[in-house]
Amino acid sequence: RSMMLRRAGVHLQVSARRAFIPPPIKSSSITLLQRRWFSDQAKPFPPIPEQGNVPESIKAHIGANLHLRPSHPIRIIKNMIENYFASQKPTFAIHDNLPPVVPISNNFDSLLIPSDHPGRSPNDTYYIDSHTVLRTHTSAHQADLLRKGERAFLVTGDVYRRDTVDSVHYPVFHQMEGVKLFAREELDKLNQKRIEKGDQPAEWYYKTPEYTTHPEVQYVEADLKKSLEGLVRMLFGAETQIRWIDAFFPFTSPSWEMEVLYMGEWLEVLGCGVIHPTIMSRSLPPGMPVGDRGWAFGLGLERLAMVLFGIPDIRLFWTNDARFHNQFKGATSTSRVRFQPYSKYPACFKDIAFWLPETYHENTFYELVRGVAGQLVESVQLIDSFTHPKTGKMSHCYRINYRSMDRNPAANS
């Protein structure tokens, strides 16, 4: 969840699926990020098509459920995380087959995502129609599960976003969200004065030290960080170095990102935080008194699998080639499995240039390339841009890198 919002609107230079190591975010930048979330300077979105904007190439992925396929590397990572939380208290409920088509209100409004946030744009999100979307994060189910009275749960599923074309990005990927609540009775044992004074505006909780430094919030924070540090050391090794970076997300406050020192570089692995009190109060089951608190985290399974198994190209998760899948048969952890490349075909580059229409968005071009060339394209790069000195029209030149994982694409094919 946090990765989508960061990419679409906050520009923290981090992605759940990018291979580069991002610079740390300093605490002093949080105020600026808050202003960006609540500013009224966002560009207007293009209209949502009446019939939606989901191409056939994306529809074909719905129901594939890679995270449920035996011995698939994404399933292995999923099982490892679920087994870890099975040892925690309370018991975490498992949800891994919830439908990917969700109401817009669940995907955005219930998480306090501003109405002008770029993540809502059809340039970024797949709309089924004007009321429903293909979920962009597994947090789209959070409010419904809380209303049903669930206190601790993990949600895993496929999520969909229009995105760039390269070896670490794909318009369909898999996320896991974790949530744990703390009852009012447990928090009252801290013998601290209650924080809320009536129904505070949502923004109040982002900037008020009375809330962010309160012992109740710090109690939840300590449990969150202890749980996730244990999880990451289970995945990466007991001696893994970890650091916490202050972050800003509209659905948690305070918020953090976790980075681990891996192979000499700091790698961002997840986003998390204390669930925003407004979300908690709006998601209560009928008759439940106000005052519970909780934490939530979100992580990308492809990113972890690529790092821990050494998988170099995100397209490999979707291959049917037995040479890929046989490497993971029977594996229950990452300890003895390292992906061995089975094909090394050369790249075939083609350049294409065109004048940009007025409503051009690069994700539309990327989607066109994927729709025509499918899995043959490894990456698409903008290599040149030109603005006509008289007409002001702009053109882009893109380099398309064709590289098959199982055959050699000819230059004239």
Side-chain angles (χ1 to χ4, degrees):
R1 171 181 62 185
S2 62
M3 314 308 171
M4 178 279 292
L5 296 167
R6 193 176 308 114
R7 173 182 61 79
V10 183
H11 306 298
L12 300 188
Q13 301 178 6
V14 183
S15 169
R17 296 164 288 147
R18 281 186 167 85
F20 61 81
I21 307 302
I25 302 164
K26 299 180 180 179
S27 300
S28 60
S29 66
I30 300 301
T31 302
L32 171 61
L33 296 177
Q34 290 172 353
R35 288 199 296 268
R36 280 183 167 179
W37 276 106
F38 298 106
S39 71
D40 57 0
Q41 300 177 2
K43 296 180 180 179
F45 302 149
I48 300 171
E50 291 185 7
Q51 304 301 319
N53 64 341
V54 185
E56 292 300 321
S57 59
I58 296 299
K59 292 178 181 178
H61 289 75
I62 299 175
N65 293 332
L66 302 186
H67 62 291
L68 299 179
R69 295 185 181 182
S71 296
H72 195 285
I74 291 177
R75 170 73 177 267
I76 296 170
I77 299 294
K78 169 183 177 289
N79 287 349
M80 292 178 67
I81 298 173
E82 290 176 350
N83 290 338
Y84 169 81
F85 280 102
S87 66
Q88 308 294 302
K89 299 295 182 181
T91 301
F92 280 72
I94 304 298
H95 299 277
D96 57 14
N97 202 19
L98 297 174
V101 178
V102 299
I104 291 174
S105 57
N106 286 28
N107 199 74
F108 297 118
D109 301 334
S110 68
L111 298 168
L112 307 181
I113 297 173
S115 60
D116 60 353
H117 188 271
R120 291 178 180 254
S121 170
N123 290 326
D124 278 35
T125 295
Y126 290 112
Y127 282 82
I128 302 297
D129 52 39
S130 60
H131 304 288
T132 55
V133 298
L134 287 173
R135 63 189 170 205
T136 61
H137 42 210
T138 48
S139 303
H141 303 284
Q142 184 184 106
D144 282 348
L145 293 173
L146 291 176
R147 291 190 191 101
K148 292 178 180 178
E150 300 216 15
R151 309 282 303 174
F153 54 85
L154 300 173
V155 179
T156 307
D158 45 341
V159 296
Y160 301 78
R161 299 178 202 158
R162 303 181 77 190
D163 213 335
T164 188
V165 180
D166 58 34
S167 62
V168 292
H169 288 84
Y170 203 76
V172 188
F173 58 106
H174 297 77
Q175 281 191 342
M176 177 180 285
E177 152 127 335
V179 169
K180 178 182 177 180
L181 300 190
F182 297 79
R184 186 70 254 164
E185 294 78 9
E186 181 178 357
L187 298 171
D188 283 341
K189 295 178 182 178
L190 301 174
N191 295 319
Q192 297 292 328
K193 181 181 178 181
R194 296 282 290 274
I195 305 172
E196 288 81 4
K197 302 173 183 178
D199 187 15
Q200 300 287 356
E203 294 88 341
W204 186 85
Y205 297 97
Y206 300 124
K207 58 187 178 182
T208 306
E210 181 184 356
Y211 166 76
T212 57
T213 63
H214 193 277
E216 285 184 8
V217 176
Q218 294 181 335
Y219 179 78
V220 176
E221 172 188 346
D223 186 87
L224 166 66
K225 292 183 175 179
K226 178 182 178 181
S227 298
L228 294 181
E229 287 175 1
L231 168 65
V232 167
R233 290 195 168 105
M234 180 274 294
L235 291 170
F236 287 85
E239 302 302 319
T240 301
Q241 295 184 48
I242 295 171
R243 68 182 182 186
W244 292 97
I245 307 298
D246 289 337
F248 179 81
F249 315 122
F251 29 76
T252 54
S253 181
S255 306
W256 304 273
E257 292 156 350
M258 178 198 281
E259 295 182 353
V260 301
L261 188 61
Y262 183 75
M263 299 184 69
E265 296 185 300
W266 286 102
L267 176 73
E268 191 260 345
V269 293
L270 58 82
C272 62
V274 178
I275 299 175
H276 195 290
T278 300
I279 294 177
M280 292 293 298
S281 63
R282 292 177 180 176
S283 304
L284 290 172
M288 180 70 69
V290 177
D292 289 2
R293 302 202 183 281
W295 53 248
F297 73 87
L299 53 81
L301 294 177
E302 274 88 348
R303 179 170 177 81
L304 289 175
M306 292 179 78
V307 171
L308 295 172
F309 289 123
I311 298 172
D313 195 311
I314 197 169
R315 294 175 297 167
L316 284 164
F317 292 114
W318 295 92
T319 184
N320 292 318
D321 197 315
R323 292 174 294 176
F324 176 80
H325 293 286
N326 286 343
Q327 297 188 40
F328 303 96
K329 273 190 175 180
T332 58
S333 71
T334 62
S335 59
R336 296 183 179 180
V337 181
R338 193 72 179 174
F339 173 70
Q340 299 299 317
Y342 51 83
S343 61
K344 297 181 180 179
Y345 292 103
C348 177
F349 296 101
K350 295 291 184 180
D351 294 348
I352 181 173
F354 51 89
W355 294 108
L356 305 187
E358 291 184 4
T359 58
Y360 176 76
H361 192 281
E362 60 184 8
N363 283 348
T364 302
F365 176 64
Y366 296 148
E367 193 162 273
L368 174 65
V369 173
R370 279 196 173 103
V372 173
Q375 302 286 55
L376 287 177
V377 175
E378 180 179 86
S379 64
V380 178
Q381 294 178 302
L382 176 65
I383 60 172
D384 193 18
S385 62
F386 169 75
T387 301
H388 195 286
K390 294 183 178 180
T391 65
K393 292 188 65 174
M394 178 176 288
S395 69
H396 280 178
C397 181
Y398 291 89
R399 176 156 295 165
I400 302 176
N401 174 14
Y402 295 88
R403 191 198 303 268
S404 173
M405 294 176 288
D406 55 17
R407 65 186 176 91
N408 188 10
N412 60 353
S413 62

